[in-house]
Amino acid sequence: MTKRIAFQGEPGAYSHQACVDTYPDLDPLPCRTFEDAMEAVRSGDAALAMLPVENSTFGRVADIHHLMPASGLHIVNEAFVRVHINLLVLPGTKLADVKQAMSHTMLLGQCRAYLEEHGIRRVTGADTAGSARQVAQDGDPTTAALASELAGEIYGLDVLARHIEDEGNNTTRFLVMSPEPDMSRRGTDGMLTSFVFTVRNIPAALYKAMGGFATNGVNMTKLESYMVGGSFSATQFYADIEGHPDDPNVKLALDELRYFTSQLDILGVYPRDPARD
């Protein structure tokens, strides 16, 4: 078995952190795009892919819900990473030396109060880990990076200030994709099932499709819609529910859903991570 886990981004990205935290025995494999990370699994270059799907501050990650159904991969786990933002500098740099900080635009906005307090100008970089790499390569002590501590370790930067984010609860949820499904019951906090579906073109189809989950006592933790095929009239839905497809109440709810849908695809069955609480 290939002992690698693919992720999108530079070494030191928060997706890299998710890989290290969740699968310390696998070697992280950085990929340029989400598609490249998925292809690494399909081709056998990696055993798993770690993909961000939503952030507690900024919502869902663009493109992921479109890519997962067609990927041929299956969700086998979920992971959560608390996004702690750190001010990374060249070794020996003092706070008074720092005139500007570079990072992804989203992280720059999350550290607004700290940067304004210390008169540090914001500079947009390609991404968080890439900004850390750039600071290390340029060798300019007046420029810092906003990134993870892991990025600092990788690129030889000092952590001048830790956890400088304005909000204390910014968390990213990741899904772990595998070439094979795992329907086994595992974990200690219950199971989750993720799927996509397209409702039939009949009046109140979505309302009727959702009724089976209510009447069978199945908790739906997420329901999102998005367009498919460039059509404003063709809408697909992504959903997460608590339970396993073999649970009697879940089976009944899914059977009722199938009656009102033209397509239903199970993306994965995986253990619920207690960190979501």
Side-chain angles (χ1 to χ4, degrees), residues 220-263:
M220 180 170 287
T221 60
K222 179 170 292 298
L223 177 65
E224 294 186 342
S225 65
Y226 55 99
M227 291 186 298
V228 292
S231 171
F232 286 99
S233 61
T235 302
Q236 195 167 54
F237 294 88
Y238 170 92
D240 294 336
I241 60 172
E242 292 183 346
H244 190 287
D246 291 340
D247 294 339
N249 62 329
V250 174
K251 185 178 185 303
L252 288 171
L254 291 176
D255 286 345
E256 189 165 339
L257 176 64
R258 287 186 179 92
Y259 182 79
F260 294 106
T261 60
S262 58
Q263 179 184 1

Side-chain angles (χ1 to χ4, degrees), residues 35-195:
E35 292 95 328
D36 290 342
M38 293 177 178
E39 179 57 31
V41 178
R42 285 194 296 264
S43 67
D45 288 340
L48 302 170
M50 180 73 71
L51 302 175
V53 290
E54 58 188 328
N55 177 269
S56 60
T57 301
F58 294 98
R60 73 183 181 189
V61 177
D63 296 335
I64 288 296
H65 291 82
H66 292 278
L67 295 173
M68 284 195 300
S71 69
L73 304 180
H74 307 269
I75 305 169
V76 294
N77 203 359
E78 68 173 348
F80 293 83
V81 169
R82 175 69 177 81
V83 182
H84 287 303
I85 306 173
N86 308 279
L87 190 69
L88 307 179
V89 297
L90 295 171
T93 301
K94 302 293 190 295
L95 183 58
D97 301 329
V98 178
K99 305 304 179 186
Q100 59 186 15
M102 179 186 300
S103 192
H104 188 281
T105 181
M106 288 197 300
L107 259 70
L108 291 171
Q110 294 176 43
C111 301
R112 189 183 306 272
Y114 180 90
L115 297 180
E116 290 181 353
E117 177 185 353
H118 295 283
I120 298 174
R121 186 167 60 91
R122 292 176 287 171
V123 177
T124 301
D127 54 40
T128 59
S131 296
R133 176 174 51 79
Q134 190 68 47
V135 167
Q137 289 178 348
D138 291 347
D140 179 4
T142 66
T143 302
L146 301 177
S148 67
E149 289 193 52
L150 178 61
E153 295 172 6
I154 291 173
Y155 300 110
L157 301 176
D158 287 348
V159 180
L160 193 59
R162 285 182 169 82
H163 304 179
I164 63 173
E165 59 270 15
D166 297 336
E167 301 293 333
N169 59 355
N170 188 11
T171 302
T172 299
R173 180 190 181 215
F174 294 82
L175 292 176
V176 180
M177 308 294 290
S178 168
E180 301 295 334
D182 185 351
M183 301 295 289
S184 65
R185 296 181 185 270
R186 53 204 190 276
T188 59
D189 205 44
M191 299 292 290
L192 295 173
T193 299
S194 295
F195 53 90

